[in-house]
C-alpha cells in the first residue's frame, strides 16, 4: 500500500508562486519505482493531468496550460514529489491531487486527498 499526502496549497494573488509537495509512504512506492502525476479539478470541470514525472526523473509531462510555468521534480531519498507553480493565474484555481502509477501516463493506482489552490485576480 501507498499513502500520498499533499501540502503547500493556499491563497495567492495572480502572478504569484506556490510549491506543492506530495509525500509518499509505504515500501511499495519505492519498490515499484512509481511515477507520480499531479492532477487538478476545478468546480464544474473535468479533472486535468497537469504534470507527471517518472521514477528517475528522466521523463516528465506537462499539460499545455501549465508549460513554462510549472515544474515537477522529485527527491526519492525523501519519497517526495514537488510541483513548483509560478506566474499563477485565476484559472489555476482548483484542488490539486497527486497520484502514483507505473508510468507517467498511468494507470494511477494510489491517490492523495488533495490540497486547495486559490488564485485571486
Amino acid at each position: 500500500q501507498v499513502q500520498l499526502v499533499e501540502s503547500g496549497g493556499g491563497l495567492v494573488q495572480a502572478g504569484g508562486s506556490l510549491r506543492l509537495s506530495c509525500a509518499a509512504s509505504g515500501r511499495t512506492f519505492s519498490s515499484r519505482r512509481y511515477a507520480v502525476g499531479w492532477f487538478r479539478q476545478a468546480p464544474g470541470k473535468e479533472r486535468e493531468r497537469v504534470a507527471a514525472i517518472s521514477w528517475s526523473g528522466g521523463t516528465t509531462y506537462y499539460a499545455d496550460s501549465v508549460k513554462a510555468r510549472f515544474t515537477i521534480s522529485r527527491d526519492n531519498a525523501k519519497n517526495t514529489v514537488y510541483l513548483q507553480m509560478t506566474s499563477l493565474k485565476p484559472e489555476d484555481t482548483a484542488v490539486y491531487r497527486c497520484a502514483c502509477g507505473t508510468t507517467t501516463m498511468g494507470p494511477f493506482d494510489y491517490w492523495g486527498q488533495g490540497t486547495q489552490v486559490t488564485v485571486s485576480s
Side-chain angles (χ1 to χ4, degrees):
Q1 295 293 319
V2 175
Q3 291 183 326
L4 302 174
V5 179
E6 302 94 337
S7 62
L11 173 64
V12 64
Q13 288 188 329
S17 299
L18 282 175
R19 188 177 80 156
L20 305 183
S21 298
C22 173
S25 61
R27 278 182 256 179
T28 304
F29 182 77
S30 55
S31 66
R32 293 197 177 180
R33 300 169 66 85
Y34 272 132
V36 173
W38 280 99
F39 298 77
R40 68 185 181 186
Q41 188 164 19
K45 294 189 176 181
E46 291 189 355
R47 185 174 64 201
E48 177 187 19
R49 182 168 58 112
V50 296
I53 188 167
S54 62
W55 172 260
S56 69
T59 300
T60 57
Y61 163 86
Y62 295 97
D64 288 343
S65 57
V66 306
K67 276 181 183 175
R69 298 190 299 122
F70 290 12
T71 303
I72 191 169
S73 62
R74 67 190 298 161
D75 183 343
N76 288 340
K78 296 181 179 180
N79 279 353
T80 302
V81 174
Y82 305 98
L83 186 67
Q84 179 69 49
M85 306 186 295
T86 63
S87 302
L88 283 162
K89 305 175 182 179
E91 50 264 43
D92 293 318
T93 295
V95 174
Y96 285 70
R97 299 175 71 187
C98 62
C100 63
T102 51
T103 76
T104 56
M105 302 298 291
F108 293 92
D109 300 327
Y110 300 96
W111 293 79
Q113 292 297 309
T115 185
Q116 176 71 45
V117 172
T118 304
V119 184
S120 63
S121 57

